């Protein structure tokens, strides 16, 4: 059976997914020690009898980390002998110890096919020149995007081992039309461009693709990136151990889920029941050498109810990733995602950078937002507006302090803007 098109009827997509899932499970039961044990413990002994992904056990990051500790360095969740694998990457380690991940030529081809889909949906083609504002190391990030650009026939321009100034220079000198990076770094480059007197909006860049953080899914952050770069901004989500699962079409109406590469579920993380908003659970189809089955991503998402105006039938999220479930802050009994605060802060054009601190004073939680707004004529007025907007939108009283220009941390990859100082 051929992989379904992005506009295939639901029954076609479901039937194809079940077939691909069974093929994969048959291989795992035979060759993959980690999954054979998990599947057999869950009573799955014959792939052909599986009728629904929900018959399979969940996989957690903890399990995978423990498996790699028990079977160093790559663990036992591998379907083939080690000499079949040609790529190695590891997670950034922002949430716990780094996880190492291997790919065979076939699974890497599956990975880059996921990225070609991202490019095509964003209208990126062979005539484009794609610059990667990224330090190419063990983190998987844009390695797959780089290979996929080449496969697409576009020019792939690596931006590793450069300062921000050198990257800006390269973008302009090579007349890049597409820039890939994290939303935090897209804004950082815009800030450096301003300091250097470079008019980014006048550059040849027409598209930016942002990954690694929720930012580009937030309207205020997206608008700011688009204004600074004079380019259309697309949001993308994926993970080292999972693959590139989300892509945005030119309607920019939230991320579509790549249902030709994955089976998706959204569950209530407390009850494990299906939900419209909750944790994204992912089973990949095609990364057979190092798959994940019903993987608890820890990403909070909300399914869009209406079909996308683009006509794609692949499911779609309302916005992108709302946040990491573990990153939700409980302030005086109320659960708040840092992205909700970012959405408000980024609506103030003069704010270059911000940080969030949580303290406990006596019995009371206190949330403090620090902002840098060097170009604002009246920073106190900016702070007062942010304070009022957070109070109105989130019913939360916060302190907003003005930090001296250049004193808050800047980031090239994922930002860590939240510090919780409360005792555990
Ligand atoms: Zn669409």
């Amino acid at each position: 059976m051929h992989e379904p098109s992005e506009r295939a009827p639901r029954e076609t997509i479901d039937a194809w997914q079940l077939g691909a899932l069974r093929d994969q499970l048959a291989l795992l039961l035979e060759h993959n020690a980690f999954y054979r044990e998990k599947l057999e413990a869950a009573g799955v002994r014959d792939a052909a009898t599986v009728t629904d992904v929900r018959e399979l056990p969940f996989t957690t990051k903890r399990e995978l980390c423990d498996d790699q500790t028990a079977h160093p360095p790559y663990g036992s969740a591998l379907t083939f002998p080690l000499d079949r694998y040609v790529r190695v990457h590891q997670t950034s380690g922002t949430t716990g110890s780094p996880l190492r991940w291997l790919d065979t030529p076939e699974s890497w081809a599956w990975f880059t096919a996921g990225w070609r889909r991202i490019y095509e949906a964003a209208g990126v083609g062979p005539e484009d020149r794609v610059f990667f504002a990224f330090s190419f190391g063990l983190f998987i990030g844009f390695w797959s995007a780089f290979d996929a650009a080449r496969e697409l026939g576009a020019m792939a321009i690596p931006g590793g081992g450069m300062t921000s100034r050198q990257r800006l220079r390269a973008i302009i000198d090579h007349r890049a039309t597409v820039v890939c990076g994290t939303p935090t770094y897209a804004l950082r480059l815009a800030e450096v461009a301003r300091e250097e007197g470079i008019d980014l909006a006048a550059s040849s860049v027409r598209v930016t693709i942002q990954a690694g953080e929720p930012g580009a899914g937030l309207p205020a952050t997206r608008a700011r990136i688009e204004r600074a770069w004079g380019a259309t901004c697309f949001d993308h989500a994926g993970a080292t151990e999972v693959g590139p699962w989300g892509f945005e079409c030119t309607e920019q109406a939230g991320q579509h889920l790549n249902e030709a590469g994955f089976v998706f579920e959204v569950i209530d993380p407390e009850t494990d029941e299906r939900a419209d908003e909750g944790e994204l659970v992912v089973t990949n189809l095609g990364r057979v050498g190092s798959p994940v089955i019903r993987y608890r991503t820890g990403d909070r998402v909300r399914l869009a109810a209406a079909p996308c105006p683009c006509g794609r039938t692949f499911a779609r999220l309302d916005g992108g990733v709302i946040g990491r479930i573990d990153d939700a802050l409980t302030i005086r009994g109320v659960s708040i995602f840092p992205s909700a605060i970012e959405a408000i802060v980024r609506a103030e054009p003069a704010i270059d950078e911000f940080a969030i601190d949580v303290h406990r004073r006596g019995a009371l939680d206190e949330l403090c937002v620090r902002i840098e707004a060097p170009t604002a004529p009246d920073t106190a007025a900016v702070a007062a507006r942010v304070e009022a907007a957070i109070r109105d939108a989130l019913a939360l009283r916060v302190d907003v302090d003005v930090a001296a220009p250049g004193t808050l941390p800047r980031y090239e990859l994922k930002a860590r803007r939240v510090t919780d100082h409360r005792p555990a």
Side-chain angles (χ1 to χ4, degrees), residues 343-406:
I344 293 165
V345 171
R346 291 296 192 204
E348 281 290 337
I351 298 177
D352 278 351
E353 193 49 85
F354 69 99
I356 298 169
D357 292 276
V358 188
H359 296 275
R360 182 162 293 151
R361 305 233 191 273
L364 215 58
D365 300 319
E366 284 187 2
L367 193 143
C368 174
V369 179
R370 286 177 294 150
I371 59 168
E372 267 185 41
T375 58
D378 182 354
T379 46
V382 175
R385 280 201 300 274
V386 170
E387 201 173 315
I390 293 175
R391 195 177 51 229
D392 289 351
L394 307 174
L396 187 70
R397 198 187 51 73
V398 300
D399 292 323
V400 179
D401 294 338
V402 177

Side-chain angles (χ1 to χ4, degrees), residues 6-7 121 247-256 307-316:
E6 294 170 0
R7 292 171 175 77
F247 66 97
E248 215 173 14
C249 68
T250 50
E251 297 290 336
Q252 294 182 289
Q255 288 196 52
H256 282 283
C308 186
C310 74
R312 285 179 177 82
T313 50
F314 281 8
R316 183 172 53 107

Side-chain angles (χ1 to χ4, degrees), residues 172-185:
I172 288 163
D173 289 349
H174 291 276
R175 295 183 180 80
T177 56
V178 179
V179 171
C180 293
T182 63
T184 288
Y185 194 53

Side-chain angles (χ1 to χ4, degrees), residues 18-19 21-23 25-26 29 44-52 55:
L18 183 59
L21 182 64
R22 284 176 176 167
D23 289 350
L25 289 173
L29 282 164
V44 181
R45 287 186 166 75
D46 179 0
T49 64
V50 171
T51 58
D52 191 307
E55 294 162 24

Side-chain angles (χ1 to χ4, degrees), residues 8-43:
R10 175 52 40 192
E11 313 78 69
T12 307
I13 297 170
D14 289 348
W16 183 82
Q17 287 182 341
L18 183 59
L21 182 64
R22 284 176 176 167
D23 289 350
Q24 175 162 305
L25 289 173
L27 269 170
L28 301 192
L29 282 164
E30 199 172 345
H31 300 293
N32 189 305
F34 175 86
Y35 276 112
R36 180 170 54 231
E37 192 181 321
K38 277 178 68 70
L39 290 166
E40 288 185 352

